[in-house]
Each structure stands twice: as structure tokens, then as C-alpha cells.
Amino acid sequence: MNTLFPAATADRKTGPSCDTPALLIDFDTYDHLQALAHRCEHLPEVTAGLLQELDRAQLVAPDALPDDAVRVGSRVTYQDDASGAIRTVHLVWPQQADVSAMRISVLTPIGAALIGLRAGQRIRWRLGNDDRRLVVLGVAPD
């Protein structure tokens, strides 16, 4: 069983089911994320979760990706259902990450959970031993 995304859920009406929110990722990002995940064996839980998400993603051409789809480079505002906290993060490649500046790597649990989601979607994800649920409130390109 995947420990990063034990049971993903979506409330967006366009999702295929309540267990798996629809994900949209462009072909180029998909290839880059696949290669990155396979190179990062020192992060097995995160990379396993990322690879699982990539396996079920719908792939589209870069120019066909909707503006509200989370991609590397997006500024994403989300709400943690448990705490009610609203955060805005900038999703970036690992070498650009800076938590103090809210630049979150796609190879973190939250980054891997957000990639491919669209505004309005919910997903459950694991942070340490806690299952968390978040909803994407908004997505803006960088």
C-alpha cells in the first residue's frame, strides 16, 4: 500500500471517482518527473507516491493544460481541512526549493500531492503519521 497517498479523494465533479481525483499533466513534465523519481531512490515514500500519481494522470500537450491545473511553476493556494489553515506555495523543481520562501519541491509529500490537481479538487495525503486532506483553492501560473 502506498503510504504517501493511502486514499486520494476528490470532490470536483469532473474527477473519475471519489477515490482518485483527476490529474492533468503535460507530456514534458511527465517525462521529467518520471526520470526524477527514478533517480531519487533516497526518498522512497515520496517517489513511490509521485510515481503512483503519475501512473493515473491524464497526459496532455503543454498548450492544452488548463490554467487551473497545478504544474511545476504554479502558485497554489490550498486549505488543510484538519487545521483550516490556508497556504500559498510555489511548486518548484527540487533544486529551486526554499521552504522559507514557500518554494516547495515537487519531491515533497505536499508537492507530489498537488501536482496535476485543479482548483476545487480535494486529496488526502500523508504527513508523517497523519492523514491530511486538502482542497486546492486556486492556481496561478508563475
Side-chain angles (χ1 to χ4, degrees), residues 69-133:
V70 177
R71 66 197 86 200
V72 176
S74 293
R75 292 197 186 278
V76 184
T77 301
Y78 69 90
Q79 183 170 23
D80 182 318
D81 281 353
S83 68
I86 296 175
R87 292 185 177 83
T88 299
V89 298
H90 187 184
L91 189 62
V92 298
W93 297 111
Q95 65 273 20
Q96 300 165 321
D98 179 354
V99 175
S100 66
M102 299 305 285
R103 297 175 63 84
I104 305 302
S105 169
V106 71
L107 283 184
T108 61
I110 187 66
L114 289 170
I115 192 75
L117 292 176
R118 296 180 70 188
Q121 286 186 304
R122 292 181 189 277
I123 191 167
R124 279 195 340 205
W125 57 289
R126 181 160 289 182
L127 180 61
N129 291 326
D130 294 332
D131 280 337
R132 307 293 284 265
R133 186 174 167 126

Side-chain angles (χ1 to χ4, degrees), residues 19-46:
D19 292 332
T20 54
L23 301 178
L24 289 175
I25 298 176
D26 71 80
F27 297 112
D28 297 337
T29 300
Y30 175 87
D31 290 342
H32 193 116
L33 289 171
Q34 281 278 343
L36 184 63
H38 288 293
R39 284 193 314 264
C40 292
E41 295 174 355
H42 62 285
L43 300 169
E45 286 188 11
V46 176

